[in-house]
Amino acid sequence: MTKHEYSQLLMQLLTPTLPFYSPQKARLCPGSSAAVYDMAAAGAEGFARPLWGLVPFWAGGGSCPEFEQLYLSGLAAGTDPENPEYWGGFQDIDQRFVEMAAIAYGILMTPQKLWDPLSAKEKTNLAKWLDGINHYACPPCNWMFFGVLVNIALKSVGFPYSEQVLSDYLDYIESCYLGGGWYLDGQNGEKDYYISFAFHYYSMIYCRFMRENDPDRCALYEERAKLFAADFINWFAEDGSALAYGRSLTYRFAQVSFFSMCAACELEVVPYGIMKGLIERHLRFWTEHPIVDNSGLLTIGYGYSNLLMSEQYNAPGSPYWAMKAFAFLSLPDEHPFWKTEAAPLPDLPTLTAQTYGGLLIQRLHGDVTAYTCGRTLPHHHVLTEEKYSKFAYSSRFAFSVPRSMRSLAEAAPDSMLALDINHMIYVRGMVSNPQLTDHSVSSEWSPYEGIRIKTVIIPDSTGHKRIHTIESDRCFTAYDCSFAFPDTYTVSQEQSCIRVQAPDGRAYCASAVKDDPAAMCINASPNTNLMVPKTIIPCICYEIQKGTQVIETRFWEE
């Protein structure tokens, strides 16, 4: 694809939002669902997030007068306390702080579009509103970068800023660094896409504008990005899809934004051709899925519109964080990136232990599977167990979330050992003693009082084996479940083996390694899977007795 074609795609995604801005353009309200924050903040979120795409588009020479005028009008109205569309004041951990980052990015990258045309009063109002982040608490996580970006933006236009907040937040970010290019996302301990589209993404913006003021830190950030890229590229499949893992997956093609921002900052963490090919295939993958509604608006969901998998912080405008993927549009037309031919992925290892990320990544037939030890921290975000503690996550089949835990169909426990106890379903949640090696992952967990399980997952050349050592004070039924497959796949089964075949001929199997338990297929409730709305989940059914019992299940692709 050419730069012009990428610009057209951006406009194709953003133009449908135009009828949904408020009269004075300060709020974008493309839907009627709610998030935990107030509606004024939700409107500000909708307004700000398209800027992640528009700002690099403008910086790279793009022009769209309608959006340019809209954003000047919206900035003036949203930051004027006398205006009915004022975005509001603040409290600790305020959603408005998140959206300030996009506005700060715009002031830094394109002041000629978003700052210079404002009147003196409008500039004062905007600067004062942005300064609010310096007087209230941000949670100790990637949010610290919002304060960093806001303060360097205020500094760049000569308005008061907080050197103390800037220093404190940079120090905290440094304390999150683990090694190998990986960060820990604050007190909740998540290592997921936020490392790529938050920590590294904002680090690159910092490097772009603070290289002269803070050269040592910028050099460190760039070196870490290179280290991280060597791991992160393994999250992408040959068809452009990426590993479905963790929270905030409704941001969809923000999955590739790390490479887009690295390209924008002329940091070849991998050669330009590989970055270009990866971005191109990833965006094409997403445009082939029904991710917009009938009016062309991005929906909350993943492979399709789906509120069930959403986070409590996903308002209707949230999905437009995906515009981060267009950072590379800031490159000038004559830049070598645009002249470079898109290249396929390089040769990548079949099995990669990502020590700092806590994942064992397997590549089979171009697809990606990640095996996890599980989370050692308690439940925090919505559906934490499903998003972090399954045994395996897939680029091809994504994963499922439950409607309830009152039946197998409603629990949709793909890639989990599901325990049926007193007509309720229990799965792996918080774990202890997690261990990751070059060839296996393991952990111990207790889904129910009186039951203790140790799970070991061992990948092989065609899939993986799970060994569960179960100590129990009661009898119950356990279901060792595979991925969730589209219900269009053909199912065949024997006593202790089940096989599903895709229309393209690829077949996926599950069987017991020993004994002769029953194989079966769960018809999952609609809309539980992230990628397709109707799925089937093959599994092996075990009758667990009191005492200690070892069960082994193998999952493989023919």
Side-chain angles (χ1 to χ4, degrees):
M1 291 176 65
T2 65
K3 183 181 181 183
H4 176 67
E5 288 171 325
Y6 285 117
S7 297
Q8 284 185 314
L9 176 58
L10 175 68
M11 288 298 108
Q12 178 184 327
L13 290 165
L14 292 183
T15 299
T17 66
L18 288 170
F20 298 94
Y21 284 85
S22 54
Q24 296 189 59
K25 312 306 181 187
R27 301 180 185 182
L28 172 61
C29 304
S32 56
S33 58
V36 291
Y37 37 90
D38 61 83
M39 295 307 292
E45 174 189 74
F47 171 88
R49 296 200 170 187
L51 287 173
W52 289 114
L54 287 168
V55 166
F57 169 72
W58 291 329
S63 177
C64 182
E66 186 170 11
F67 274 114
E68 292 166 29
Q69 186 54 49
L70 182 155
Y71 273 87
L72 287 174
S73 174
L75 285 174
T79 58
D80 180 0
E82 303 301 319
N83 194 293
E85 293 189 11
Y86 179 54
W87 292 325
F90 307 103
Q91 59 185 358
D92 289 344
I93 313 178
D94 200 307
Q95 181 65 26
R96 294 161 183 81
F97 300 156
V98 182
E99 314 318 327
M100 285 181 180
I103 297 170
Y105 178 53
I107 292 172
L108 289 165
M109 286 283 288
T110 55
Q112 75 279 10
K113 300 289 186 181
L114 295 178
W115 179 261
D116 297 342
L118 296 175
S119 69
K121 181 181 179 181
E122 289 167 346
K123 289 176 181 176
T124 298
N125 284 342
L126 175 53
K128 183 176 180 180
W129 186 80
L130 289 171
D131 181 61
I133 199 171
N134 293 322
H135 305 283
Y136 294 85
C138 278
C141 62
N142 71 84
W143 278 43
M144 294 293 182
F145 264 116
F146 306 146
V148 170
L149 295 182
V150 165
N151 278 293
I152 63 174
L154 290 172
K155 182 179 180 180
S156 75
V157 293
F159 269 76
Y161 70 100
S162 175
E163 189 68 45
Q164 187 64 55
V165 168
L166 186 57
S167 176
D168 289 348
Y169 284 9
L170 287 169
D171 286 346
Y172 182 81
I173 290 162
E174 191 61 28
S175 76
C176 293
Y177 188 66
L178 297 173
W182 285 85
Y183 291 83
L184 186 69
D185 191 10
Q187 61 189 4
N188 299 320
E190 289 158 348
K191 293 170 286 187
D192 50 29
Y193 279 106
Y194 276 90
I195 311 307
S196 63
F197 60 46
F199 279 89
H200 283 292
Y201 195 92
Y202 303 138
S203 293
M204 291 301 100
I205 298 174
Y206 185 85
C207 291
R208 187 164 191 157
F209 296 99
M210 295 295 286
R211 192 176 309 280
E212 291 185 7
N213 300 76
D214 196 359
D216 291 343
R217 191 189 308 273
C218 291
L220 195 62
Y221 283 167
E222 291 180 344
E223 182 58 32
R224 289 174 181 175
K226 293 175 183 177
L227 291 171
F228 179 75
D231 270 356
F232 189 52
I233 196 169
N234 289 282
W235 288 37
F236 291 83
E238 290 181 2
D239 66 354
S241 61
L243 189 65
Y245 171 70
R247 66 189 178 100
S248 294
L249 292 180
T250 197
Y251 303 150
R252 296 185 176 105
F253 40 95
Q255 290 169 327
V256 84
S257 61
F258 165 77
F259 291 105
S260 182
M261 181 55 81
C262 287
C265 294
E266 300 182 288
L267 184 66
E268 285 194 80
V269 291
V270 296
Y272 279 146
I274 292 174
M275 282 196 279
K276 189 174 184 180
L278 184 53
I279 294 167
E280 182 174 300
R281 290 187 300 275
H282 188 71
L283 290 175
R284 182 179 295 119
F285 171 84
W286 281 114
T287 57
E288 292 172 352
H289 284 76
I291 61 174
V292 298
D293 64 17
N294 291 338
S295 63
L297 294 168
L298 285 174
T299 59
I300 296 172
Y302 194 63
Y304 60 99
S305 175
N306 184 359
L307 280 174
L308 187 61
M309 56 77 65
S310 67
E311 316 294 346
Q312 60 185 1
Y313 51 79
N314 286 158
S318 291
Y320 286 90
W321 233 45
M323 298 302 109
K324 285 186 170 185
F326 290 95
F328 69 135
L329 286 179
S330 65
L331 291 170
D333 295 352
E334 65 277 7
H335 194 276
F337 180 88
W338 301 117
K339 299 177 174 63
T340 302
E341 185 176 348
L345 289 172
D347 290 334
L348 296 170
T350 302
L351 200 62
T352 306
Q354 300 192 347
T355 305
Y356 293 108
L359 300 172
L360 188 59
I361 305 287
Q362 184 180 43
R363 306 185 71 82
L364 285 177
H365 306 295
D367 297 328
V368 177
T369 300
Y371 303 104
T372 74
C373 299
R375 278 176 57 88
T376 57
L377 296 176
H379 181 93
H380 182 73
H381 291 289
V382 171
L383 301 169
T384 294
E385 293 71 26
E386 285 69 28
K387 294 172 180 177
Y388 295 96
S389 283
K390 290 181 185 286
F391 300 140
Y393 291 87
S394 168
S395 63
R396 183 178 177 90
F397 302 111
F399 62 88
S400 302
V401 297
R403 282 189 171 276
S404 82
M405 303 305 285
R406 294 186 175 275
S407 72
L408 284 172
E410 292 179 2
D414 61 319
S415 298
M416 286 182 159
L417 183 67
L419 283 56
D420 189 340
I421 303 174
N422 297 328
H423 307 295
M424 291 290 289
I425 307 301
Y426 297 87
V427 295
R428 185 170 74 165
M430 191 168 64
V431 307
S432 61
N433 196 28
Q435 296 184 20
L436 170 68
T437 73
D438 290 341
H439 53 80
S440 68
V441 297
S442 65
S443 67
E444 298 173 10
W445 48 291
S446 178
Y448 194 86
E449 185 177 357
I451 300 174
R452 188 76 185 172
I453 301 173
K454 179 179 180 179
T455 295
V456 180
I457 301 171
I458 304 172
D460 57 36
S461 61
T462 59
H464 70 282
K465 181 171 69 173
R466 302 177 196 161
I467 305 170
H468 308 285
T469 302
I470 304 172
E471 298 178 4
S472 177
D473 64 359
R474 68 187 62 232
C475 299
F476 61 90
T477 304
Y479 303 86
D480 210 353
C481 301
S482 76
F483 293 129
F485 301 102
D487 70 343
T488 53
Y489 285 21
T490 302
V491 179
S492 58
Q493 64 189 80
E494 300 174 359
Q495 171 61 25
S496 59
C497 181
I498 188 165
R499 180 179 186 270
V500 294
Q501 183 168 331
D504 64 4
R506 295 172 67 173
Y508 305 85
C509 306
S511 69
V513 174
K514 60 181 183 178
D515 302 324
D516 196 27
M520 59 176 285
C521 200
I522 301 167
N523 291 306
S525 291
N527 308 316
T528 48
N529 184 259
L530 272 64
M531 189 61 75
V532 293
K534 295 189 70 176
T535 59
I536 51 176
I537 305 174
C539 62
I540 306 299
C541 175
Y542 297 92
E543 295 301 328
I544 306 302
Q545 307 302 317
K546 292 182 180 179
T548 300
Q549 187 170 340
V550 179
I551 61 174
E552 299 183 25
T553 314
R554 182 165 176 254
F555 301 87
W556 78 97
E557 182 176 348
E558 289 183 341

